[in-house]
Amino acid sequence: MSLHVSGTSEARTHGHPGAHATPLCCRDMSPVLDILVRRRGSILAVLDVATSFLTFVLAYYVRFHVPLLVSVFPFPPDAKPPLEPYLNMAALTSALWVFLLSRELAYKKGLHFSRPLAHHARTVFITGLYAMMFMIVVSFAFRYFLLSRLVYGLWFAFAFASLLATRVCFSLLDRSLECRNIMVNRILLMGSSQAADRLIHGILELNPCT
């Protein structure tokens, strides 16, 4: 018995219809893994929002409560900012980052998840940098959001590492399922050319079990 995960991807070669990736074939998979594979784009988006929000709160506490950092970057005892503006900014920044990631197809189904980890790291880094810079500019326009720039820096470092770690876990899960023949990428290549050969070799390098 096999289940087919919805979603296809397609790449064209010179003068030929192209290479078509059929839905993933999942066999002997537990219900939890089945849901994780079928809806991993949506699950990853939810994890990204939650991770970004929580790391922003973590950055606030590290900045204003960790003695080492407070001693290096001191502030008057009565000048410790309230948490509420940081919670609001955490929600806005997290939503913006995930929106930018979605524009870069970071949650797209199909073979997108098979791209090299360096591609995902670059996408997460650039979109996160844009989100941080945009919100810093907004904070200068609205005094309510004029927050510590050190918090922004800590948040970006924490969030980038966490989002990248999540993608590493998804990649390891995919490789494990593929090499155990529980989840298999089936690709139909139509036509023959040098571009098609390069496509085949590239796919096999990323997914030897395709």
Side-chain angles (χ1 to χ4, degrees), residues 16-94:
H16 297 282
H20 300 268
T22 64
L24 297 173
C25 176
C26 307
R27 296 174 292 185
D28 303 324
M29 186 178 292
S30 69
V32 174
L33 283 178
D34 183 49
I35 294 174
L36 187 60
V37 171
R38 286 178 179 271
R39 308 201 178 274
R40 56 183 171 177
S42 301
I43 293 173
L44 184 60
V46 172
L47 288 175
D48 285 351
V49 171
T51 299
S52 177
F53 183 88
L54 293 176
T55 51
F56 205 106
V57 177
L58 175 63
Y60 167 84
Y61 277 101
V62 169
R63 167 63 184 97
F64 296 110
H65 293 83
V66 173
L68 177 61
L69 214 56
V70 172
S71 63
V72 176
F73 302 97
F75 58 91
D78 58 346
K80 183 181 296 184
L83 179 60
E84 182 183 357
Y86 286 86
L87 292 177
N88 293 332
M89 183 58 81
L92 291 174
T93 309
S94 301

Side-chain angles (χ1 to χ4, degrees), residues 113-189:
F113 280 84
S114 297
R115 292 182 178 180
L117 184 61
H119 169 83
H120 294 291
R122 184 171 59 252
T123 301
V124 171
F125 182 85
I126 293 175
T127 54
L129 195 61
Y130 283 160
M132 181 179 66
M133 297 306 296
F134 178 80
M135 299 313 292
I136 289 177
V137 171
V138 169
S139 69
F140 282 107
F142 299 94
R143 189 174 182 81
Y144 177 78
F145 289 122
L146 191 58
L147 310 180
S148 168
R149 288 186 291 275
L150 185 56
V151 170
Y152 281 112
L154 291 171
W155 161 75
F156 181 70
F158 295 157
F160 172 73
S162 300
L163 266 63
L164 188 59
T166 303
R167 282 153 177 77
V168 170
C169 292
F170 270 91
S171 178
L172 292 175
L173 176 63
D174 280 356
R175 293 296 178 88
S176 175
L177 294 177
E178 289 166 0
C179 292
R180 289 159 56 192
N181 288 325
I182 296 178
M183 184 177 72
V184 180
N185 291 316
R186 293 178 176 175
I187 299 175
L188 173 63
L189 182 65

